[in-house]
Amino acid sequence: MNSREHLGSRLGFIFLSAGCAIGCGNIWKFPWMCGQNGGGGFVFIYIVCLVLLGPPIMSMEFSIGRASQASPLYMYQQLEKPGQRWHIHGTFALIGNFALMAFYTVVTGWLIYYFVKFATGTNNDFGFVKMISTPSINVIYLAVTLIIAFFVLSFNLNGGLEKVTKVMMVCLLGLILVLAANSLTLDGAREGLYFYLVPDIAEISGSTIVAAMNQAFFTISVGMGSMAIFGSYIDKKRSLLGESLNVIMLDTFVAIVAGLIIFPSCFTYDIEVSAGPSLLFDSMATVFNNMSGGRLWGTMFFLFMVFAALSTVLAVCENLVAMIRELTVVSRPKSCAICGSIVFGLGLTTALGFSLIHFQPFAEGTTFLDFWDFLVSVNILPLGSLVITLFCCYKKGWGWDNFVAEANAGKGLKIREWMKPIFKYLIPLAIIFIYIYGMVTFSWH
């Protein structure tokens, strides 16, 4: 097994972990979910759910990674008792990370394409449907995404991933603040902010609560070992509940500010806020095409989106590289070549799923993208989170005392005994509810 690499700084760890969580879930899905679920009420419940669910689950995954000093593929073997089978989840974590990249790299490619169109001033002659149904665009930009990601990952941890992520996250945070400041000067800013930030109790329904709970859970990227791998790269100087809170605060900040960009723009240019998944692509492109200086603002917006999506691609692909390195005992560059080839092959199913590959796994009109997303979002993430929670909180697994000792090592916020019912009962029940609700409400036909 390869000697363990470690991150060079606490900031690198926070940025990498937050970068994994920050992505299309925050900036693409969060605004349109908010738009479809009444605005301010959804945001309020989302934040409450995130504070309750996020730090406990994330601190558990960080703890397993730091205690085991291994990738998700082998972390359970280091901590489980003889004869136990918790390590089976490691295989599902490997499958889940590949499945996530099978569609996420394609979506990242779409964002790079939109950025290029705005940057080159050719942003008036394209659209979302035209883009996804053109095989060459999808395959070329999938390849571009993977070349960027695995080139960065082929260097050592500090010189490649950590250094690039720090720069990218600083640029991301700078861009989002500039874009938000510009949106607040638009004519519809007041109306957009009122819809977005002021809860309307009458608009809060059971479906709003469930939607907010789902979004809060899925935005933190736990359940597939993506956070565990970064836990394995850090020392014991800081306690993990506090670090989890820092990561979640940064993740939430980006999601909330993304709404500050989008909703004032929608209300100014009379764009339907409940447009759904097309809100980010066609709707925002329309906004920028009609805005004074729109080419510049559109270029900045989609560059910001590229940074957000790439931060997740880099983090998840690092997880894959770490697992493949432990499985095959090959060098980092060779592991990058292996992972890149597999992800490219899997990504072709999504890239060509809107044109050449006619596969409808569920309802009419669904594609490979929906299949991979169902596998990851509806199944592997919640079930993996449940496994991690049970492993950390119960004697049949690693056990509460071992988990707390690891999580509380170092300076910072500690897990207290009064929190035990939240970790042991509330979190598993919430995960089971989210899973069952996801399966029952899924559009099978």
Side-chain angles (χ1 to χ4, degrees):
M1 203 174 282
N2 296 280
S3 60
R4 199 100 203 122
E5 293 180 273
H6 284 88
L7 293 167
S9 68
R10 181 187 176 204
L11 184 63
F13 164 70
I14 292 172
F15 273 176
L16 279 168
S17 302
C20 184
I22 293 167
C24 292
N26 293 68
I27 303 154
W28 175 35
K29 191 175 181 182
F30 176 75
W32 69 255
M33 287 282 287
C34 180
Q36 289 188 334
N37 288 280
F42 173 87
V43 174
F44 173 73
I45 296 166
Y46 166 80
I47 292 172
V48 171
C49 291
L50 198 57
V51 169
L52 283 175
L53 293 176
I57 302 176
M58 192 174 285
S59 62
M60 286 187 268
E61 190 166 321
F62 279 149
S63 296
I64 296 174
R66 190 167 73 173
S68 65
Q69 290 291 291
S71 80
L73 204 56
Y74 290 103
M75 63 188 184
Y76 290 103
Q77 281 96 320
Q78 308 298 318
L79 305 175
E80 66 186 358
K81 300 173 182 69
Q84 292 186 329
R85 298 267 185 255
W86 295 95
H87 59 270
I88 294 172
H89 175 238
T91 304
F92 282 98
L94 178 63
I95 294 168
N97 280 276
F98 272 121
L100 176 60
M101 288 299 96
F103 72 91
Y104 204 98
T105 48
V106 176
V107 175
T108 303
W110 295 343
L111 293 166
I112 296 174
Y113 175 73
Y114 265 66
F115 162 70
V116 169
K117 297 297 279 186
F118 272 95
T120 56
T122 54
N123 49 300
N124 291 309
D125 62 342
F126 74 110
F128 184 66
V129 173
K130 181 181 178 182
M131 174 187 67
I132 64 174
S133 57
T134 306
S136 58
I137 293 173
N138 283 267
V139 174
I140 288 169
Y141 281 91
L142 165 64
V144 168
T145 301
L146 292 174
I147 289 167
I148 293 170
F150 285 104
F151 174 74
V152 170
L153 294 175
S154 65
F155 295 93
N156 65 55
L157 188 65
N158 303 131
L161 178 61
E162 184 176 2
K163 184 179 290 185
V164 169
T165 301
K166 280 181 180 177
V167 173
M168 205 159 58
M169 290 295 289
V170 170
C171 292
L172 184 153
L173 293 171
L175 280 170
I176 197 173
L177 290 173
V178 171
L179 287 161
N182 178 65
S183 284
L184 295 179
T185 66
L186 298 175
D187 294 339
R190 183 184 178 88
E191 194 179 354
L193 291 176
Y194 185 85
F195 169 81
Y196 179 49
L197 297 177
V198 180
D200 183 352
I201 303 301
E203 290 289 323
I204 298 176
S205 63
S207 61
T208 305
I209 294 170
V210 171
M213 187 185 224
N214 267 289
Q215 180 63 16
F217 176 75
F218 291 121
T219 192
I220 54 179
S221 298
V222 290
M224 295 194 310
S226 298
M227 293 300 166
I229 195 66
F230 297 123
S232 76
Y233 289 155
I234 57 170
D235 54 37
K236 295 181 186 286
K237 291 179 181 176
R238 304 291 304 190
S239 63
L240 295 173
L241 184 61
E243 298 299 78
S244 300
L245 203 56
N246 290 330
V247 170
I248 287 166
M249 284 167 58
L250 188 54
D251 174 68
T252 307
F253 171 78
V254 172
I256 297 298
V257 179
L260 295 180
I261 298 169
I262 290 172
F263 288 108
S265 302
C266 288
F267 278 87
T268 300
Y269 294 97
D270 200 26
I271 300 293
E272 182 57 59
V273 294
S274 59
S278 67
L279 180 63
L280 179 69
F281 289 98
D282 281 348
S283 299
M284 289 306 292
T286 301
V287 165
F288 295 123
N289 284 336
N290 288 285
M291 182 186 290
S292 176
R295 177 184 167 187
L296 172 64
W297 292 112
T299 302
M300 289 175 65
F301 178 78
F302 284 105
L303 178 61
F304 154 63
M305 284 300 309
V306 168
F307 284 154
L310 266 179
S311 66
T312 299
V313 170
L314 285 167
V316 175
C317 286
E318 171 61 26
N319 210 6
L320 289 171
V321 168
M323 286 191 273
I324 295 298
R325 288 187 75 193
E326 288 189 353
L327 196 62
T328 60
V329 200
V330 297
S331 67
R332 180 175 275 273
K334 285 182 180 177
S335 180
C336 285
I338 294 168
C339 291
S341 301
I342 295 172
V343 173
F344 182 73
L346 293 171
L348 286 176
T349 62
T350 303
L352 303 176
F354 299 91
S355 52
L356 301 180
I357 300 176
H358 301 287
F359 173 59
Q360 297 189 130
F362 310 114
E364 187 177 346
T366 56
T367 65
F368 256 112
L369 187 151
D370 301 287
F371 169 74
W372 294 120
D373 186 38
F374 169 76
L375 202 63
V376 175
S377 301
V378 182
N379 289 281
I380 293 176
L381 282 176
L383 292 178
S385 296
L386 183 61
V387 170
I388 288 169
T389 303
L390 297 177
F391 181 68
C392 286
C393 292
Y394 290 87
K395 290 180 180 178
K396 291 284 186 181
W398 190 26
W400 174 259
D401 292 340
N402 290 325
F403 154 63
V404 171
E406 179 62 44
N408 284 349
K411 295 186 293 184
L413 194 63
K414 309 292 186 185
I415 296 170
R416 305 297 180 186
E417 194 61 27
W418 65 264
M419 300 178 186
K420 189 173 182 178
I422 297 174
F423 283 76
K424 197 169 183 178
Y425 304 113
L426 178 63
I427 299 299
L429 288 173
I431 294 170
I432 291 167
F433 171 77
I434 288 168
Y435 178 69
I436 293 173
Y437 182 84
M439 295 297 282
V440 169
T441 58
F442 189 79
S443 301
W444 298 97
H445 303 292

